[in-house]
Amino acid sequence: MIQLKSLLNCIDNSGAAIVECVQCVKMKRAARVGDRIIVVVKKQRNFGPESGPGGSVSVSAANKVKRGDVRHAVVVRTKKGYQRKDGSMVSFADNACVLINKGGEPIGSRMNGIVGRELQDKKWSKILSLAPMQL
């Protein structure tokens, strides 16, 4: 269950490492797997080593988002367990999301980590195709 001020790991290669939820879109309850949320980038990921001793390259060219950016995201994993229609209980080790643009396309081109199968029911097929594994 993702709500206001929840911290999530970003599992794509958009440049964000940790994001904070600031709003659950179109709902008053907490967000679950497959729901759209609005997040703020709290910590960004560094790709590759810094340049030499005299260089001051702090952000790689691969970073598509910066610290403080407000973006849309889709929740792909939640630590809180939930029950599927077949009766099985599913919970993950952490809370995770994938950054998307306003049109619903993922910002990153790769995912690292598993995603929940509930994305298929909510029509996030592009995220499912980029993910290495579904659970």
Side-chain angles (χ1 to χ4, degrees):
M1 292 175 37
I2 307 300
Q3 55 191 0
L4 185 68
K5 304 293 264 181
S6 295
L7 294 177
L8 298 94
N9 295 328
C10 186
I11 64 166
D12 57 4
N13 65 344
S14 62
I18 297 175
V19 297
E20 178 183 338
C21 177
V22 294
Q23 185 182 5
C24 298
V25 178
K26 296 184 182 177
M27 65 186 78
K28 292 185 180 179
R29 61 176 171 78
R32 299 184 186 132
V33 175
D35 290 339
R36 191 176 196 156
I37 59 174
I38 298 176
V39 297
V40 173
V41 177
K42 286 294 184 184
K43 186 176 179 186
Q44 78 184 62
R45 186 169 293 151
N46 290 329
F47 293 108
E50 303 258 329
S51 63
S56 62
V57 177
S58 62
V59 177
S60 174
N63 287 354
K64 297 178 181 82
V65 296
K66 296 184 177 86
R67 185 177 182 278
D69 284 355
V70 177
R71 300 287 180 161
H72 287 248
V74 175
V75 178
V76 294
R77 293 194 302 248
T78 58
K79 197 165 184 176
K80 172 77 173 163
Y82 56 92
Q83 190 167 11
R84 289 187 173 157
K85 292 185 180 181
D86 63 357
S88 60
M89 286 290 294
V90 179
S91 66
F92 296 97
D94 63 343
N95 297 321
C97 69
V98 173
L99 297 182
I100 58 173
N101 59 16
K102 290 188 180 180
E105 297 293 320
I107 294 175
S109 58
R110 289 186 185 166
M111 310 282 164
N112 45 359
I114 62 175
V115 299
R117 194 173 298 277
E118 283 71 22
L119 296 174
Q120 190 172 17
D121 300 334
K122 303 226 177 157
K123 310 294 189 232
W124 295 109
S125 59
K126 180 71 174 177
I127 295 173
L128 283 174
S129 66
L130 292 175
M133 191 167 74
Q134 305 168 18
L135 183 67

